[in-house]
Amino acid sequence: MNHIPVLLKESINSLNIKSNGIYIDATYGCGGHTKLILSKLGINGRIYAVDCDITTILKYKILDKRIIYIHNNFSNLKFILNNKIGKIDGILFDLGISSFQLNNPKRGFSYMFNGPLDMRINQNQNINAYNLLQKISERKLSEILKLYGEEKFHKKIAFNIKKYLLNNKLNNTKDLSHSICSVFKKKNKFKHPARRSFQAIRIFLNKEIEELQKALNISLDLLKKNGIISVISFHSLEDRIVKNFMKKNSLHNKNIFKKIPLTEIEINNLYYKNNNLKLKIIDRIFPNKIEILKNLRSRSAILRVAKKI
Ligand SMILES: C[S@@+](CC[C@H](N)C(=O)[O-])C[C@H]1O[C@@H](n2cnc3c(N)ncnc32)[C@H](O)[C@@H]1O
């Protein structure tokens, strides 16, 4: 199944594309969002398409002089761009992995197919899921399942995974799924028992939360005044990072609320006086029912938008 871009129109509209603007698609994936940005850019516009998965870039590369491909982690953006392109007009993050990656059994992301215990987004990374599960203690694994998967049965699952490993019974994603599922006595009709644990292992292995936090901070420096940052997240952990980042750098910072409600002039004055305020929160958008019906993957998506001030 092809990857269907989530909140496509909403996220690109939020970027308010200027014909000769410079944009970063920090998560190029299958190019869905980049294509729509391109359709709004003039000949002098530029888009830096970033993805740390080279197979994705090679498979979905669009040949267009206005796109510059960057195979790297989005947390390295400042280092990669190194003041070469000046400030940018907008940056988009569409977090997580694409259907192209999820549905490829060889990548080991899915409990639906059997494949190697890989789960690396960046295939140049040395450690894969199997190495990780072998390396960490049962206690650490239990913490990971709790923190990144919000998994209630984290202790039992960690014990079981380690038991399978010890008995040489953990050789592929099917074994991992089995080691997790056997902990659950009652089956949930709607949610696969291994979903949370697979998510947790993937997030920890790829340092997704740390990388996101770094990249958000970097994007503050990269944006022009009035430049837009739009982030689509897919689970509460990611969304919390994005929400807190936007709040921390904006008027939502509770320390500076003196009285509520503030007039527009008072708000502008506050921004003017507070050098540490760098963002103005613009919007929070959820997919509508039609999008969710057409693309179930979108059901947990949240788009948050802020403007650099
Ligand atoms: C949900 S997909 C993006 C889909 C894309 N917006 C589209 O419409 O086709 C997320 C992409 O981000 C990439 N990615 C995830 N974490 C990354 C990181 N830390 N640095 C760079 N790319 C990353 C993944 O490899 C994946 O291709």
Side-chain angles (χ1 to χ4, degrees), residues 13 23 26 42 47 69 76 104 126 142 152-153 166 194 200 207 224 227 233 275 304 306:
N13 285 345
Y23 294 89
I47 174 154
Y69 290 94
N76 292 331
N104 180 351
N126 290 333
S142 164
K152 230 174 28 183
F153 300 110
L166 208 66
K207 301 191 177 70
K224 276 182 191 162
S233 61
N275 292 331
R304 290 187 188 267

Side-chain angles (χ1 to χ4, degrees), residues 1 20 26 92 132 135-136 146 149 205 221 243 267 281:
M1 194 182 67
N20 58 354
L92 172 73
L132 175 83
K135 201 174 115 188
I136 55 176
K146 185 177 174 200
L205 177 72
D221 292 339
K243 185 173 75 182
I267 289 176
I281 293 176

